[in-house]
Amino acid sequence: MRVELGDLAIDRGGSVLVANALRDAGHVEVEGTDPELESNLRAWARARGHGADGKTVHRATGRFDGGAEVVLPTGTADARWGFAPRGARVEAGTAAWNWPLDDAAVVWDEDAARIYSSAAARQWDPARDVPWDDGFRLDEPVEAAVCQVLTYLVENEVAALSVPATFLPRIHPTFAEVVQVLAVQVADEARHAAVFTRRLGLRGHGPGTSGRGGQASLASLLAEPDFLSATFLLSVLGEGSFVELLRWLADCAPDPVTRAVVRLAAQDEARHVAFAVGHLRRVVERDPAWLDKLAGALRNRSAALAATSGLNEDVFDALVVVGAGSLEPDAIGRSFASVADLVRRMDRARQGHLARIGFPAASAIELSGWHTRNFM
Amino acid sequence: MLLLGAVAYDPKVVPIWEGICAWLQAHGVDVEPVWFFRYETLVQALVSGGVDVAWHSPLAVVQTERALHRRGRTLRLLAMRDTDQDLTSVIVARRGGPSSLDTLRGRRIAVGAWDSPQATLLPLNHLQANGVRPGKDVDVRTYDLLVGKHGDHVGGERLAARALRDGDVDAAALFDGNLLAFRADGSLPDDAEVIARTGMYDHCAFAALTGHREAELDAWTRVLLTMRWEDPVVRVLFDLEGLREWRPGRTHGIEPLRHAVATLDHEAADRVRRFADTL
Ligand SMILES: [Fe+2]
Ligand SMILES: [Fe+2]
C-alpha cells in the first residue's frame, strides 16, 4: 500500500496517515517531498515498534492483537474489560479493577435503556417549571408546618441520593444502562433536595426539627451492604411509600410552589419505584430464593429500628396542619383523617409492589407492616 | 547470582528493573538489581567487578572501554533495546534563524546536559566535523539537568527546546525521537525546522567485562532475549522501558560516540576524558 503525503512532514501529522494505512496493510510505502521524510519515518517507526526500510514501513504486532472484546455477559463480567464500552477491544495485560457488582443475574436489566431514555427526556428545570415568583402568603403556623414537612423531605432526599451513589462505582461498566439509570436517579434526588431547600427559605422561615428516629431510619438504609436488598428497602418500600406522600402533598399543600415541587418530584419517584420493582421482579423470576433474602433484609432493618420511635411527631402534626391549611378545628379534623388515609394508602401501595415482585399476597401484607414508621 | 547495575535516573526505573529481574528469576535466572545514582559510580562498579552486568548509557560504555583499555581488557555488549538502535540527533532552528550549519556561526545553540551523548556530545561533534567549532564559532549553552545521568532524563532536552521557543538561543540539539515527541506536545515552536542531522548511532546496552562470568552471562542473555512484548506481563515492563524487543548487543553503533569523545574540542568532552582517565 502507498501513502502520498505531498509536502506534509512526518513530524507534522504525516505519521497519522502512515499509522492509518498500517491498519489495513502490513507494508506501507510512504511518498512525500519533505527532505526529512525518511529520517523521521525511521524515528517514528522505531518508537512504535514498526520496521522501517527506506520509505517502507513494516507493521509490528498490533497492540490490540490477542486482546479481549467487551460484551454483555450472561454470567460474570470480566474485570479486565475495565472501563471500556461494549464492543471495544481491550489490550491484553490491562490491569483489572475490582467491580464487586459484576454478575449479570444481579445487575443487568433489559428494561434499563428504556427507563433511562424516558428519565433523560423528562428532566425538568427548577427555574422554569416552578412558579417561584407567585406572591402567595401563608399564615405563620401554616408556613411553619410546610417548612417542617420540607425539612423531613430534604432528609429523605439526601438518603435517597446516597444509597444508589454508593453502589454506582461498584457496578461493572459493561452494564452501562443500569449505571445510567442509577446516575440519573442520583441527579433527580439532588434536584429534589435543592428545590425543597429553596422552598424552605422562600418566605424566610427555614428548616424545622429533625428527629432521632427519622435519622436512624435513614442511616439504616445506608447500612445495607447488599445492592438488591438496598434497592428493595429504598426504592420499593421507601420510595414506594414516599411517592404516595408527595402525591398527597401535591393535592393538599397550601401554596403553589410547594404543590409544584412535590408534583415534579413525584414524577421522578414513580420512575425510581418502577425500575426497582421491575428489576427485582425479573431477579426473582430467575432466582426465587431472592424473596427470602429480601424479606430477611427487611426484618433485619426493622429489628435494628425497634428501639426508635420512627416518624418525628412534629412531622406528623405538621402534615395535618399542611393538609388543613389553617388551625381551624374542623379543617384540622378533616385533614387528620386524610393523613390517616394517606398512611393506609402507603401500606396498600407497598403491598402492591411486593406482590408485583412475586411475594404471595399474605406475606405482602405482613412484610408491608414491617416497613419503617418513618415512611422512608 | 548475578548483580545487575542500573542508574535510577527516574523513579520508574525501579519498578522496571525489579519487574524484569522478577521475570528473569521466574525463568530460571538468578539476577538482582542494584541502583546507582550516577553512571560514573556504575562504571567504577563494573570495572572493579562490583556488578556483573550494567545497564549502560552509550557514554558509560565509552568510559568503561577507556578504563579497560589501559588494563588491556575489553567490554562486551550483551543486549539492547530495539529502540536504541540507529538513532540520530537533529539541530533545529526557527524560520528566519540559521538555515544550515554554516549560518550557525556567531549564533547560540542550546544543548542538553554536558554528559548527554544524544543532545550534546554527538551534535557538537557533528558541528566540529563540519567546520563549525563549538565554543569558538558558535556559542554553546548547556542545559545541565541531572548531570551524571548521561542525558537519560528528557528534562535537559526539553529545556533546550523551550530556550529555542523563548528566543534565548538560535538553535537547539535534540534526539530524533524527541523531535517527534516535542512537536506533538507543543514544546517546540511551530516554525522550528531541522537544519542538520547526525549520522546514526546506538544508545543504551547491557555491558559486561570480557572474560567475566561469560557462560552465566550468556545464559542470562539468552533468557532475556526470549521476553516477548505479546506476553501481557512483559508488555507492561516493555511499555515502561520503551521497547518492543531486546536485540543482541552490537558495538558498531558506539563508534560515533567513541570518536566524539576522542576528538571533540569542547569542555563537555574534556570533562568526559578527565573522568575516564581517573578510573
Ligand atoms: Fe427524590
Ligand atoms: Fe427517588
Side-chain angles (χ1 to χ4, degrees):
Chain A
M1 187 169 185
R2 265 170 62 101
V3 175
E4 183 54 65
L5 296 184
D7 61 0
L8 180 65
I10 288 292
D11 56 329
R12 289 181 184 277
S15 62
V16 175
L17 298 180
V18 179
N20 207 50
L22 281 169
R23 264 190 268 280
D24 303 324
H27 310 277
V28 171
E29 260 179 82
V30 185
E31 287 303 328
T33 58
D34 177 28
E36 301 293 328
L37 189 146
E38 210 173 306
S39 301
N40 282 336
L41 188 62
R42 189 180 52 241
W44 176 81
R46 190 180 61 223
R48 297 266 177 124
H50 301 306
D53 172 11
K55 292 181 177 176
T56 305
V57 184
H58 311 286
R59 184 174 65 192
T61 309
R63 177 166 289 277
F64 298 97
D65 295 356
E69 194 188 327
V70 184
V71 298
L72 184 63
T74 47
T76 306
D78 191 330
R80 290 166 306 173
W81 294 342
F83 299 87
R86 294 200 296 269
R89 181 157 288 283
V90 178
E91 185 178 358
T94 297
W97 181 251
N98 179 31
W99 282 283
L101 291 170
D102 58 359
D103 182 0
V106 169
V107 178
W108 179 242
D109 194 297
E110 50 262 39
D111 206 25
R114 187 192 63 81
I115 298 255
Y116 174 75
S117 25
S118 127
R122 286 185 175 78
Q123 295 294 292
W124 42 272
D125 177 359
R128 188 193 59 207
D129 300 331
V130 180
W132 300 106
D133 298 331
D134 188 287
F136 75 87
R137 275 281 150 206
L138 302 179
D139 292 342
E140 203 286 326
V142 178
E143 174 70 15
V146 167
C147 288
Q148 179 59 61
V149 170
L150 286 165
T151 304
Y152 162 81
L153 294 185
V154 171
E155 291 179 321
N156 285 283
E157 296 298 348
V158 172
L161 180 155
S162 303
V163 171
T166 57
F167 289 105
L168 270 175
R170 304 187 202 169
I171 299 176
H172 193 294
T174 198
F175 305 116
E177 291 84 350
V178 173
V179 171
Q180 287 155 11
V181 166
L182 294 182
V184 83
Q185 185 167 330
V186 167
D188 287 341
E189 310 301 12
R191 203 177 36 220
H192 301 170
V195 293
F196 295 164
T197 304
R198 182 169 172 188
R199 168 62 189 91
L200 269 174
L202 197 61
R203 289 293 176 265
H205 190 281
T209 64
S210 170
R212 200 164 53 81
Q215 295 261 5
S217 176
L218 296 177
S220 71
L221 281 175
L222 268 71
E224 174 54 61
D226 175 67
F227 172 58
L228 292 179
S229 299
T231 301
F232 177 63
L233 296 176
L234 172 75
S235 293
V236 175
L237 300 175
E239 292 180 322
S241 308
F242 196 66
V243 70
E244 296 300 325
L245 171 61
L246 294 175
R247 283 174 181 153
W248 181 87
L249 285 166
D251 287 339
C252 302
D255 69 85
V257 171
T258 304
R259 286 196 297 272
V261 292
V262 297
R263 180 181 53 76
L264 291 165
Q267 288 175 10
D268 299 333
E269 293 305 341
R271 191 177 59 244
H272 305 168
V273 175
F275 177 71
V277 169
H279 186 59
L280 291 177
R281 178 170 58 78
R282 282 181 281 276
V283 167
V284 165
E285 268 169 17
R286 284 191 294 263
D287 182 7
W290 269 106
L291 286 178
D292 275 351
K293 295 186 216 170
L294 298 176
L298 174 57
R299 288 200 183 88
N300 286 345
R301 183 185 183 210
S302 178
L305 295 176
T308 67
S309 57
L311 187 68
N312 176 2
E313 60 267 31
D314 288 351
V315 174
F316 185 89
D317 295 349
L319 281 171
V320 175
V321 175
V322 165
S326 74
L327 300 184
E328 202 58 45
D330 282 355
I332 291 288
R334 279 193 303 277
S335 181
F336 187 91
S338 173
V339 172
D341 185 52
L342 164 65
V343 175
R344 279 193 296 274
R345 231 186 302 159
M346 289 196 260
D347 188 29
R348 279 198 302 275
R350 286 195 299 272
Q351 290 171 24
H353 298 320
L354 288 162
R356 273 186 282 280
I357 289 173
F359 286 99
S363 73
I365 292 168
E366 188 203 341
L367 289 174
S368 175
W370 287 93
H371 184 61
T372 173
R373 283 161 292 168
N374 186 53
F375 304 155
M376 268 285 266
Chain B
M1 190 196 42
L2 295 167
L3 287 181
L4 163 68
V7 170
Y9 63 88
D10 186 287
K12 74 171 185 179
V13 169
V14 175
I16 290 171
W17 293 112
E18 283 191 353
I20 290 174
C21 286
W23 190 92
L24 290 169
Q25 280 162 4
H27 289 76
V29 185
D30 195 7
V31 57
E32 182 166 323
V34 186
W35 310 115
F36 288 80
F37 182 62
R38 293 177 306 159
Y39 273 110
E40 281 62 31
T41 333
L42 176 56
V43 167
Q44 283 168 337
L46 184 63
V47 168
S48 65
V51 298
D52 302 302
V53 55
W55 178 241
H56 253 11
S57 78
L59 182 57
V61 169
V62 171
Q63 288 171 330
T64 310
E65 282 179 344
R66 291 175 77 102
L68 290 175
H69 182 69
R70 289 198 309 279
R71 294 165 170 81
R73 299 192 66 178
T74 54
L75 192 64
R76 298 200 298 149
L77 298 185
L78 304 179
M80 57 197 304
R81 306 186 299 182
D82 55 345
T83 45
D84 274 336
Q85 296 188 334
D86 299 332
L87 316 188
T88 62
S89 292
V90 293
I91 293 167
V92 292
R94 304 185 67 167
R95 202 172 299 128
S99 56
S100 64
L101 290 182
D102 261 345
T103 52
L104 202 53
R105 285 173 206 281
R107 313 257 199 146
R108 208 164 3 178
I109 184 170
V111 298
W114 65 261
D115 61 2
S116 168
Q118 65 274 13
T120 305
L121 298 165
L122 290 163
L124 291 184
N125 201 51
H126 184 67
L127 294 185
Q128 180 177 291
N130 286 276
V132 182
R133 294 169 303 170
K136 300 189 177 73
D137 301 328
V138 60
D139 187 15
V140 176
R141 188 174 286 191
T142 54
Y143 285 83
D144 278 334
L145 207 76
L146 298 176
V147 164
K149 318 290 190 202
H150 293 183
D152 286 357
H153 193 280
V154 70
E157 283 173 74
R158 198 178 288 284
L159 290 178
R162 194 170 300 162
L164 180 67
R165 190 189 63 195
D166 296 345
D168 298 338
V169 295
D170 305 297
L174 307 169
F175 147 59
D176 60 12
N178 281 338
L179 167 70
L180 302 181
F182 293 174
R183 191 75 95 187
D185 72 13
S187 300
L188 272 180
D190 286 346
D191 61 356
E193 295 293 352
V194 173
I195 63 165
R197 189 182 291 263
T198 69
M200 286 192 249
Y201 59 87
D202 287 353
H203 210 256
C204 296
F206 287 111
L209 270 54
T210 308
H212 176 81
R213 301 180 74 173
E214 280 203 359
E216 286 166 89
L217 284 165
D218 287 346
W220 177 86
T221 307
R222 277 195 298 276
V223 176
L224 182 83
L225 293 177
T226 64
M227 293 183 87
R228 286 287 166 270
W229 181 83
E230 287 77 6
D231 172 348
V233 177
V234 171
R235 183 180 303 193
V236 173
L237 302 166
F238 276 17
D239 281 355
L240 265 175
E241 178 56 18
L243 73 154
R244 284 284 184 128
E245 63 178 15
W246 294 115
R247 293 195 179 156
R250 61 185 199 187
T251 51
H252 77 261
I254 298 296
E255 183 48 32
L257 185 63
R258 263 185 220 127
H259 183 69
V261 169
T263 60
L264 177 60
D265 178 18
H266 183 266
E267 194 200 339
D270 293 341
R271 290 208 218 177
V272 171
R273 286 189 290 262
R274 269 204 304 277
F275 168 75
D277 291 344
T278 63
L279 287 173

Coordinates of all heavy atoms in Angstrom, one line a residue, chain B residues 178-229:
Chain B
N178 N 12.8 12.7 20.3 CA 12.3 13.9 21.0 C 11.8 15.0 20.0 O 10.9 15.8 20.4 CB 13.3 14.5 22.0 CG 13.3 13.6 23.3 OD1 12.4 12.9 23.6 ND2 14.4 13.7 24.0
L179 N 12.4 15.0 18.8 CA 11.9 15.9 17.8 C 10.4 15.6 17.6 O 9.5 16.5 17.6 CB 12.7 15.8 16.5 CG 12.0 16.5 15.3 CD1 12.1 18.0 15.4 CD2 12.7 16.0 14.0
L180 N 10.1 14.3 17.4 CA 8.7 13.9 17.2 C 7.8 14.2 18.4 O 6.7 14.7 18.3 CB 8.6 12.4 16.8 CG 9.4 12.0 15.6 CD1 9.2 10.5 15.3 CD2 9.0 12.8 14.3
A181 N 8.4 13.8 19.6 CA 7.6 14.0 20.8 C 7.3 15.5 21.1 O 6.2 15.9 21.5 CB 8.3 13.3 22.0
F182 N 8.4 16.3 21.0 CA 8.2 17.7 21.3 C 7.3 18.4 20.3 O 6.7 19.4 20.6 CB 9.6 18.4 21.4 CG 10.4 18.0 22.6 CD1 11.7 18.4 22.7 CD2 9.9 17.1 23.5 CE1 12.5 18.0 23.7 CE2 10.7 16.7 24.6 CZ 12.0 17.1 24.7
R183 N 7.4 17.9 19.1 CA 6.5 18.5 18.0 C 5.0 18.2 18.5 O 4.2 19.1 18.4 CB 6.7 17.8 16.7 CG 6.1 18.4 15.5 CD 6.8 19.7 15.1 NE 7.8 19.5 14.1 CZ 8.6 20.5 13.7 NH1 8.5 21.7 14.2 NH2 9.4 20.3 12.7
A184 N 4.8 17.0 18.9 CA 3.4 16.6 19.3 C 2.9 17.3 20.6 O 1.7 17.6 20.7 CB 3.3 15.1 19.4
D185 N 3.8 17.5 21.5 CA 3.3 18.1 22.8 C 3.5 19.6 22.9 O 3.3 20.2 23.9 CB 4.0 17.4 24.0 CG 5.5 17.8 24.2 OD1 5.9 18.7 23.6 OD2 6.1 17.1 25.0
G186 N 3.9 20.2 21.8 CA 4.0 21.7 21.7 C 5.2 22.3 22.4 O 5.3 23.5 22.5
S187 N 6.2 21.5 22.8 CA 7.4 22.1 23.4 C 8.2 22.8 22.3 O 8.9 23.8 22.7 CB 8.3 21.0 24.0 OG 7.7 20.3 25.0
L188 N 8.1 22.4 21.1 CA 8.9 23.1 20.0 C 8.0 24.2 19.4 O 6.8 24.0 19.3 CB 9.2 22.1 18.9 CG 10.5 21.4 19.0 CD1 10.7 20.5 17.8 CD2 11.7 22.3 19.1
P189 N 8.6 25.4 19.0 CA 7.8 26.3 18.3 C 7.4 25.8 16.9 O 8.1 24.9 16.4 CB 8.8 27.5 18.2 CG 10.2 27.0 18.4 CD 10.0 25.8 19.3
D190 N 6.3 26.2 16.4 CA 5.7 25.7 15.2 C 6.7 25.8 14.0 O 6.7 25.0 13.1 CB 4.4 26.4 14.8 CG 3.3 25.9 15.8 OD1 3.5 24.8 16.4 OD2 2.2 26.5 15.8
D191 N 7.4 26.9 14.0 CA 8.3 27.2 12.8 C 9.7 26.6 13.0 O 10.6 26.9 12.2 CB 8.3 28.7 12.6 CG 9.0 29.5 13.7 OD1 9.3 28.8 14.8 OD2 9.1 30.7 13.6
A192 N 9.9 25.7 14.0 CA 11.2 25.1 14.1 C 11.4 24.0 13.0 O 10.5 23.3 12.7 CB 11.3 24.4 15.5
E193 N 12.5 24.1 12.3 CA 12.8 23.1 11.3 C 14.2 22.5 11.5 O 15.0 23.1 12.2 CB 12.9 23.8 9.9 CG 11.6 24.5 9.4 CD 10.5 23.4 9.1 OE1 10.8 22.2 9.1 OE2 9.4 23.9 8.9
V194 N 14.3 21.3 11.0 CA 15.6 20.6 11.1 C 16.6 21.2 10.1 O 16.3 21.3 8.9 CB 15.4 19.1 10.8 CG1 16.8 18.4 10.7 CG2 14.5 18.4 11.8
I195 N 17.8 21.7 10.7 CA 18.8 22.2 9.8 C 20.0 21.3 9.6 O 20.8 21.5 8.7 CB 19.2 23.6 10.2 CG1 19.9 23.6 11.6 CG2 18.1 24.6 10.2 CD1 20.7 24.9 11.9
A196 N 20.1 20.3 10.5 CA 21.2 19.4 10.3 C 20.9 18.1 11.1 O 20.1 18.1 12.0 CB 22.5 19.9 10.9
R197 N 21.5 17.0 10.7 CA 21.2 15.7 11.4 C 22.5 14.9 11.4 O 23.3 14.9 10.5 CB 20.1 14.9 10.6 CG 19.6 13.7 11.3 CD 18.6 13.0 10.5 NE 17.4 13.6 10.3 CZ 16.2 13.4 11.0 NH1 16.3 12.5 12.0 NH2 15.1 14.1 10.8
T198 N 22.8 14.3 12.6 CA 24.0 13.5 12.7 C 23.8 12.2 12.0 O 22.7 11.8 11.6 CB 24.3 13.1 14.2 OG1 23.2 12.2 14.6 CG2 24.3 14.4 15.1
G199 N 24.9 11.4 11.9 CA 24.8 10.1 11.4 C 24.1 9.2 12.4 O 23.8 9.7 13.5
M200 N 23.9 7.9 12.1 CA 23.2 7.0 13.0 C 24.1 6.5 14.1 O 25.3 6.3 13.9 CB 22.6 5.9 12.3 CG 21.4 6.3 11.5 SD 20.5 4.8 10.9 CE 20.8 4.9 9.1
Y201 N 23.6 6.3 15.3 CA 24.3 5.8 16.4 C 23.4 4.9 17.3 O 22.2 5.0 17.1 CB 25.0 6.9 17.2 CG 23.9 7.9 17.8 CD1 23.3 7.6 19.0 CD2 23.6 9.0 17.1 CE1 22.4 8.5 19.5 CE2 22.6 9.9 17.6 CZ 22.1 9.6 18.8 OH 21.1 10.5 19.3
D202 N 24.0 4.1 18.2 CA 23.2 3.3 19.1 C 23.2 3.9 20.5 O 24.1 4.7 20.8 CB 23.7 1.9 19.2 CG 23.4 1.1 17.9 OD1 22.6 1.6 17.0 OD2 23.9 0.0 17.8
H203 N 22.2 3.5 21.3 CA 22.1 4.1 22.6 C 22.4 3.0 23.7 O 23.4 2.3 23.6 CB 20.8 4.8 22.8 CG 20.8 6.0 23.7 ND1 20.3 5.9 25.0 CD2 21.3 7.2 23.6 CE1 20.5 7.1 25.6 NE2 21.1 7.9 24.8
C204 N 21.6 2.9 24.7 CA 21.9 2.1 25.9 C 22.1 0.6 25.5 O 21.6 0.1 24.6 CB 20.8 2.2 26.9 SG 20.7 3.9 27.6
A205 N 22.9 -0.1 26.4 CA 23.1 -1.5 26.2 C 23.5 -2.2 27.5 O 23.9 -1.5 28.5 CB 24.2 -1.7 25.2
F206 N 23.3 -3.5 27.6 CA 23.8 -4.3 28.8 C 25.3 -4.5 28.5 O 25.6 -5.1 27.5 CB 23.1 -5.6 28.9 CG 21.7 -5.5 29.4 CD1 20.6 -5.7 28.6 CD2 21.4 -5.1 30.7 CE1 19.3 -5.7 29.1 CE2 20.2 -5.0 31.2 CZ 19.1 -5.3 30.4
A207 N 26.1 -4.1 29.4 CA 27.6 -4.2 29.2 C 28.2 -5.1 30.3 O 27.7 -5.1 31.4 CB 28.2 -2.9 29.3
A208 N 29.1 -5.9 29.9 CA 29.8 -6.8 30.8 C 31.3 -6.9 30.4 O 31.6 -6.7 29.2 CB 29.2 -8.2 30.9
L209 N 32.2 -7.2 31.3 CA 33.6 -7.3 31.0 C 33.9 -8.7 30.3 O 33.3 -9.7 30.7 CB 34.4 -7.3 32.3 CG 34.9 -5.9 32.8 CD1 33.7 -5.0 32.9 CD2 35.7 -6.0 34.1
T210 N 34.6 -8.6 29.2 CA 35.0 -9.8 28.5 C 35.8 -10.7 29.5 O 36.6 -10.3 30.3 CB 35.9 -9.5 27.3 OG1 35.3 -8.5 26.6 CG2 36.2 -10.7 26.5
G211 N 35.4 -12.0 29.6 CA 36.0 -12.9 30.5 C 35.4 -13.0 31.8 O 35.8 -13.9 32.6
H212 N 34.5 -12.1 32.1 CA 33.9 -12.1 33.5 C 32.6 -13.0 33.4 O 31.6 -12.6 32.8 CB 33.6 -10.7 33.9 CG 32.8 -10.6 35.2 ND1 33.5 -10.7 36.4 CD2 31.5 -10.5 35.5 CE1 32.6 -10.6 37.4 NE2 31.4 -10.5 36.9
R213 N 32.5 -14.1 34.1 CA 31.4 -15.0 34.2 C 30.6 -15.1 32.9 O 29.4 -15.0 32.8 CB 30.4 -14.4 35.3 CG 31.1 -14.4 36.7 CD 30.2 -13.8 37.7 NE 29.2 -14.8 38.2 CZ 28.3 -14.6 39.2 NH1 28.4 -13.5 39.9 NH2 27.5 -15.5 39.5
E214 N 31.4 -15.4 31.8 CA 30.8 -15.3 30.5 C 29.7 -16.3 30.3 O 28.7 -16.0 29.7 CB 31.9 -15.5 29.4 CG 32.7 -14.2 29.2 CD 33.4 -14.2 27.8 OE1 33.3 -15.2 27.1 OE2 34.0 -13.2 27.5
A215 N 29.9 -17.6 30.7 CA 28.9 -18.6 30.5 C 27.6 -18.2 31.1 O 26.5 -18.3 30.5 CB 29.4 -20.0 31.0
E216 N 27.7 -17.8 32.4 CA 26.4 -17.4 33.1 C 25.8 -16.2 32.4 O 24.5 -16.2 32.3 CB 26.8 -17.0 34.5 CG 27.1 -18.2 35.5 CD 27.7 -17.6 36.7 OE1 27.0 -17.3 37.7 OE2 29.0 -17.5 36.8
L217 N 26.6 -15.2 32.0 CA 26.0 -14.0 31.4 C 25.4 -14.3 30.0 O 24.4 -13.8 29.6 CB 27.1 -12.9 31.3 CG 27.3 -12.2 32.7 CD1 28.6 -11.4 32.6 CD2 26.1 -11.3 33.0
D218 N 26.0 -15.3 29.3 CA 25.5 -15.7 28.0 C 24.1 -16.4 28.2 O 23.2 -16.2 27.5 CB 26.5 -16.6 27.3 CG 27.7 -15.8 26.7 OD1 27.6 -14.5 26.7 OD2 28.7 -16.4 26.4
A219 N 24.1 -17.2 29.3 CA 22.8 -17.9 29.5 C 21.7 -16.9 29.9 O 20.6 -16.9 29.5 CB 23.0 -18.9 30.7
W220 N 22.2 -15.9 30.7 CA 21.2 -14.8 31.1 C 20.7 -14.1 29.9 O 19.5 -13.8 29.8 CB 22.0 -13.9 32.1 CG 21.3 -12.7 32.5 CD1 20.5 -12.6 33.6 CD2 21.3 -11.4 31.9 NE1 20.0 -11.3 33.7 CE2 20.5 -10.5 32.7 CE3 22.0 -10.8 30.8 CZ2 20.3 -9.2 32.4 CZ3 21.8 -9.5 30.5 CH2 20.9 -8.7 31.3
T221 N 21.6 -13.8 29.0 CA 21.2 -13.0 27.8 C 20.3 -13.8 26.9 O 19.3 -13.3 26.4 CB 22.5 -12.7 26.9 OG1 23.4 -12.0 27.7 CG2 22.1 -11.8 25.7
R222 N 20.5 -15.1 26.8 CA 19.6 -16.0 26.0 C 18.2 -15.9 26.6 O 17.2 -15.8 25.8 CB 20.1 -17.4 26.0 CG 21.2 -17.7 24.9 CD 21.4 -19.2 24.7 NE 21.9 -19.9 25.9 CZ 23.1 -20.0 26.2 NH1 24.1 -19.4 25.5 NH2 23.5 -20.6 27.3
V223 N 18.1 -16.0 27.9 CA 16.7 -15.9 28.5 C 16.1 -14.5 28.3 O 14.9 -14.4 27.9 CB 16.8 -16.3 30.0 CG1 15.4 -16.1 30.6 CG2 17.3 -17.7 30.2
L224 N 16.9 -13.5 28.5 CA 16.4 -12.1 28.3 C 15.8 -12.0 26.9 O 14.8 -11.4 26.7 CB 17.6 -11.1 28.5 CG 17.2 -9.7 28.3 CD1 16.7 -9.2 29.7 CD2 18.4 -8.8 27.9
L225 N 16.5 -12.5 25.9 CA 16.1 -12.4 24.5 C 14.8 -13.1 24.2 O 14.2 -12.9 23.2 CB 17.2 -12.8 23.5 CG 18.4 -11.9 23.5 CD1 19.5 -12.5 22.6 CD2 18.1 -10.5 23.1
T226 N 14.3 -14.0 25.1 CA 13.1 -14.7 24.9 C 11.9 -13.9 25.5 O 10.7 -14.3 25.3 CB 13.0 -16.1 25.6 OG1 13.1 -15.9 27.0 CG2 14.2 -16.9 25.1
M227 N 12.1 -12.7 26.1 CA 11.0 -11.9 26.6 C 10.2 -11.4 25.3 O 10.8 -10.9 24.4 CB 11.5 -10.7 27.4 CG 12.1 -11.0 28.7 SD 12.6 -9.5 29.6 CE 11.1 -9.2 30.5
R228 N 8.9 -11.6 25.4 CA 8.1 -11.2 24.2 C 7.1 -10.1 24.7 O 6.3 -10.3 25.6 CB 7.3 -12.4 23.7 CG 8.2 -13.4 22.9 CD 8.6 -12.8 21.6 NE 9.7 -13.6 21.0 CZ 11.0 -13.4 21.1 NH1 11.3 -12.3 21.8 NH2 11.9 -14.1 20.5
W229 N 7.0 -9.1 23.9 CA 6.1 -8.0 24.1 C 4.6 -8.5 24.2 O 3.8 -8.0 24.9 CB 6.2 -6.9 23.0 CG 5.4 -5.7 23.1 CD1 5.6 -4.6 23.9 CD2 4.1 -5.5 22.5 NE1 4.6 -3.7 23.7 CE2 3.6 -4.3 22.9 CE3 3.3 -6.3 21.6 CZ2 2.4 -3.7 22.4 CZ3 2.1 -5.7 21.1 CH2 1.7 -4.5 21.5

